[in-house]
Amino acid sequence: MDASALLSRLVSRLKGRSYEIDPRIDARYLGVVTLERAMMKLRGFYRFPLHANRPFVGRGVGLRARHLLRCGPGVTLGDHSRVDAMSDKGVTLGAGTSLGRNSRIECIGNLRFLGVGFTAGDNVGLGTDCLYGAAGGITIGDDTIIGNFVSMHSEGHNYDDPDVPIRDQGVSHQGIRIGRGCWIGSKATVLDGVTLGDGSIVAAGAVLTAGAYPANGIYGGVPARLLKSRDPGEGTGTAG
């Protein structure tokens, strides 16, 4: 049995589902990847000695309020990612979920307000170089994939009084809810008050403003609108 087939069997067993590695990837490359994953697991044992499900921990990972971070089996924290879990509900990462390289989960906006927290379901891909501002609460359903450089902001600044600096008018929180099986493209922005239905697709660079976006829609633009429905027989329309 060659290296790719052997590793495919091992990864499939760890993930609990079929995972086939391209046989064209040479054994030396696979060896380097396997060594890196082994080092990440060793860091997990060191950084989370009392956790039943120790994550794979990359280089330079920053953690605050580690006691409020809960991980399912097979969680990965990518190189130089950062998690500040100080919040009412903390941070929960479901089984097989990965936080990409250089990405940040920040649950507390400032010391005047204890944030709500962040929850991602099972097998969620939180891409590289992303920001998840979870002061108002962010929930992401199972099997959702999020592209690189995506930002989510579950907090808004109040600005009604023109005679008072915006920074002194406080903030509001509605929360962000992302459904199951969604795909959010690179550089998309999700603002406070968004509810994105199951199975939806958000185009690269789109801006989702507060509102409900029905399931199985394809959304794009600034602000985002419905471009197409994935449901058979459905046409186009608007959303938000």
Side-chain angles (χ1 to χ4, degrees):
M1 183 180 294
D2 62 25
S4 61
L6 181 62
L7 195 55
S8 292
R9 289 182 59 181
L10 176 60
V11 175
S12 296
R13 185 177 302 173
L14 291 173
K15 289 181 172 292
R17 66 183 192 278
S18 178
Y19 189 96
E20 297 295 329
I21 294 172
D22 193 323
R24 295 172 295 178
I25 301 175
D26 66 50
R28 288 174 298 179
Y29 188 92
L30 292 176
V32 171
V33 172
T34 301
L35 179 60
E36 288 177 347
R37 294 294 288 180
M39 292 301 298
M40 293 176 79
K41 195 62 176 177
L42 287 175
R43 292 190 197 98
F45 275 91
Y46 174 73
R47 301 288 295 272
F48 296 86
L50 302 180
H51 284 226
N53 296 312
R54 299 177 181 90
F56 292 87
V57 179
R59 295 168 296 176
V61 170
L63 298 170
R64 283 187 176 178
R66 188 182 315 176
H67 63 290
L68 295 174
L69 171 59
R70 295 173 291 275
C71 297
V75 165
T76 296
L77 304 177
D79 291 349
H80 305 291
S81 60
R82 176 183 175 86
V83 178
D84 187 342
M86 178 52 63
S87 55
D88 184 44
K89 298 180 180 178
V91 171
T92 299
L93 303 176
T97 288
S98 61
L99 178 64
R101 182 181 63 252
N102 298 327
S103 289
R104 308 195 308 278
I105 299 174
E106 299 178 353
C107 295
I108 185 167
N110 56 62
L111 297 180
R112 294 183 296 178
F113 175 77
L114 180 65
V116 175
F118 180 96
T119 298
D122 296 341
N123 302 312
V124 174
L126 304 167
T128 67
D129 300 282
C130 296
L131 170 63
Y132 303 94
I138 296 175
T139 61
I140 300 174
D142 297 345
D143 301 308
T144 284
I145 50 177
I146 295 175
N148 303 330
F149 299 100
V150 168
S151 63
M152 297 189 184
H153 308 271
S154 60
E155 180 175 86
H157 288 277
N158 300 324
Y159 55 86
D160 291 337
D161 191 339
D163 297 322
V164 176
I166 293 173
R167 65 176 299 167
D168 294 330
Q169 295 191 47
V171 294
S172 60
H173 302 96
Q174 300 178 63
I176 293 171
R177 290 161 289 277
I178 307 297
R180 300 164 57 99
C182 295
W183 172 22
I184 298 180
S186 176
K187 298 183 180 179
T189 300
V190 182
L191 300 180
D192 193 30
V194 165
T195 297
L196 182 66
D198 295 346
S200 293
I201 297 172
V202 177
V207 177
L208 296 183
T209 58
Y213 295 77
N216 295 321
I218 301 176
Y219 302 98
V222 182
R225 61 185 181 86
L226 180 64
L227 303 178
K228 185 178 180 180
S229 175
R230 298 178 65 207
D231 290 326
E234 294 291 331
T236 60
T238 59

